[in-house]
Amino acid sequence: MFAIVKTRARQKHRTLAYPSGPAPELPPRFAGRPVVAPSRCASDCAGCVAVCPTKAITRQADGPEIDTGRCLFCRACEQACPRKAIRFGREYRLSAARREDLRVHAGSPECAAARNDLAAGLFRRSLKLRQVSAGGCNACEADCNVLGTLAWDMGRFGIQFVASPRHADGLLITGPVTQNMHEALLKTYHAVPAPKIVIAVGACSISGGPYIDHPEQHNGAAGIVPVDLFVPGCPPHPLTILDGLLTLLGRVDRDSAE
């Protein structure tokens, strides 16, 4: 017992200071919000469009547009572009309240609005979520679970996962919503007492991800239940998920953070 106490005293405080302090250091391979440089984009080149596995890139008059709701952040477009018109930056604040705000193009804001008035008014200090894995590969699920560990400790914000939808304020959905999970998702949604919120985490739950347009899935949750927050990534970094949750609740103000 004495050895345990001594070890804890040596380790000191291990929970992240964020958001009161600086965000944790991101790994070198982290791929954040895409940055588009239209002046470098050649009008006769469509290499980035051709290599994108989920058709997340379209050519616009002012250069490429990247739908981060479809994007797998695989960097294939970045590597394929000879003029470096697309690169992935370090911006982790990727979530948005509106699906259309996930589209990144020249001149788009650095990060979109994600605050929800209902959530900020009712669930600011206590948010209970029922997590629904609707056919996911377990990557997004794992990064959501990380938020319950000692270092992240999202419980300090009153955010917790609960076992029953009857005890939840909303749903956190991962996976493309496979045919087998369609009815289960609907039943879980209806079991959550109103008013409630829905959060879609990961490319699969937003657009179908790598399974997009496959007949055995539904291209994400938005076509089945109303979604209040979209958190892109494949999978999203835990910091991206936590930032989205805190911004949704009005615990983090993106305007003042910039």
Side-chain angles (χ1 to χ4, degrees), residues 107-152:
S108 59
E110 185 175 349
C111 53
R115 188 181 189 273
N116 182 280
D117 290 338
L118 171 67
L122 294 180
F123 310 130
R124 182 182 176 89
R125 296 295 177 184
S126 177
L127 176 65
K128 312 303 181 187
L129 296 170
R130 177 67 171 99
Q131 201 273 321
V132 179
S133 179
C137 70
N138 207 40
C140 292
E141 292 84 347
D143 277 356
C144 288
N145 290 341
V146 164
L147 296 177
T149 60
L150 178 68
W152 295 92

Side-chain angles (χ1 to χ4, degrees), residues 172-223:
L172 187 148
I173 304 170
T174 55
V177 188
T178 59
Q179 193 64 33
N180 287 341
M181 284 299 296
H182 177 263
E183 185 178 357
L185 175 59
L186 278 176
K187 286 184 176 181
T188 306
Y189 174 78
H190 291 304
V192 177
K196 51 194 168 187
I197 59 171
V198 176
I199 302 164
V201 173
C204 286
S205 68
I206 296 174
S207 64
Y211 314 105
I212 193 166
D213 293 334
H214 192 284
E216 292 300 319
Q217 54 84 45
H218 292 268
N219 284 348

Side-chain angles (χ1 to χ4, degrees), residues 31-229:
R33 183 182 183 276
V35 179
V36 177
S39 60
R40 297 184 178 184
C41 186
S43 59
D44 58 344
C45 176
C48 58
V49 177
V51 299
C52 182
T54 58
K55 298 181 173 59
I57 305 175
T58 55
R59 287 296 304 268
Q60 306 294 329
D62 58 349
E65 179 181 83
I66 303 174
D67 182 354
T68 58
R70 282 180 171 235
C71 182
L72 303 183
F73 294 80
C74 64
R75 296 184 185 268
C77 56
E78 183 181 57
Q79 296 165 5
C81 181
R83 296 171 176 260
K84 306 301 180 184
I86 297 175
R87 65 178 179 86
F88 286 84
R90 306 290 290 174
E91 179 57 71
Y92 60 85
R93 298 172 295 173
L94 303 174
S95 58
R98 303 190 306 165
R99 176 69 178 86
E100 55 267 32
D101 288 342
L102 297 181
R103 299 181 181 276
V104 175
H105 51 81
S108 59
E110 185 175 349
C111 53
R115 188 181 189 273
N116 182 280
D117 290 338
L118 171 67
L122 294 180
F123 310 130
R124 182 182 176 89
R125 296 295 177 184
S126 177
L127 176 65
K128 312 303 181 187
L129 296 170
R130 177 67 171 99
Q131 201 273 321
V132 179
S133 179
C137 70
N138 207 40
C140 292
E141 292 84 347
D143 277 356
C144 288
N145 290 341
V146 164
L147 296 177
T149 60
L150 178 68
W152 295 92
D153 188 22
M154 69 177 180
R156 61 194 160 115
F157 307 109
I159 306 173
Q160 294 177 319
F161 292 124
V162 294
S164 170
R166 298 291 186 189
H167 301 156
D169 303 309
L171 300 181
L172 187 148
I173 304 170
T174 55
V177 188
T178 59
Q179 193 64 33
N180 287 341
M181 284 299 296
H182 177 263
E183 185 178 357
L185 175 59
L186 278 176
K187 286 184 176 181
T188 306
Y189 174 78
H190 291 304
V192 177
K196 51 194 168 187
I197 59 171
V198 176
I199 302 164
V201 173
C204 286
S205 68
I206 296 174
S207 64
Y211 314 105
I212 193 166
D213 293 334
H214 192 284
E216 292 300 319
Q217 54 84 45
H218 292 268
N219 284 348
I224 301 168
V225 294
V227 175
D228 301 290
L229 181 71

